[in-house]
Amino acid sequence: MAAGKPAAFTIDGPRGPVRVAQPGAVWLAKRTGNPVLPFHLEANRHWTTNSWDRTQIPKPFATVALAIGEPFDVPANAGDEGLEAARRELELRLHMLEARALELVGLDATGTR
């Protein structure tokens, strides 16, 4: 494992498209030897910004769920196809974690009760 500090970031990149994993996280995992730890936060009450990604800011006293998935490694020798497979796997896991977090705060897949 490479020395350093843990990092967390959104995976759909600074320009999107929204909810589509960009290759940065899996590339970083390949280069550092550190695993990817997918997670998703969801609040039952929030403000939604008018931005491309519809960023949500939890309202005071909201219930917030944190769904954490299993860490997974990206082999150091992964080529383009291996990186793409890892990117797709990350995206799939994140969608499943989103559904779980929504369920935990009592919302359906559209974010409503």
Side-chain angles (χ1 to χ4, degrees):
M1 209 178 280
K5 301 204 184 270
F9 48 91
T10 58
I11 54 85
D12 48 12
R15 295 188 187 105
V18 68
R19 300 177 76 237
V20 174
Q22 298 301 307
V26 294
W27 179 88
L28 193 58
K30 172 187 170 176
R31 294 288 302 206
T32 65
N34 291 312
V36 174
L37 179 65
F39 66 94
H40 184 86
L41 290 161
E42 197 67 50
N44 68 338
R45 297 180 323 108
H46 56 268
W47 292 288
T48 303
T49 64
N50 192 21
S51 61
W52 68 268
D53 63 353
R54 310 290 292 156
T55 296
Q56 296 176 351
I57 302 165
K59 290 183 177 182
F61 309 107
T63 298
V64 178
L66 171 60
I68 303 172
E70 292 290 323
F72 71 95
D73 294 306
V74 178
N77 64 351
D80 290 345
E81 288 180 16
L83 285 173
E84 176 58 17
R87 185 203 66 76
R88 285 192 313 269
E89 179 65 22
L90 174 58
E91 189 172 286
L92 174 66
R93 290 182 185 205
L94 286 167
H95 289 302
M96 292 183 340
L97 291 169
E98 178 183 20
R100 177 65 179 138
L102 284 165
E103 176 186 337
L104 288 169
V105 296
L107 302 176
D108 64 19
T110 65
T112 57
R113 294 188 192 280

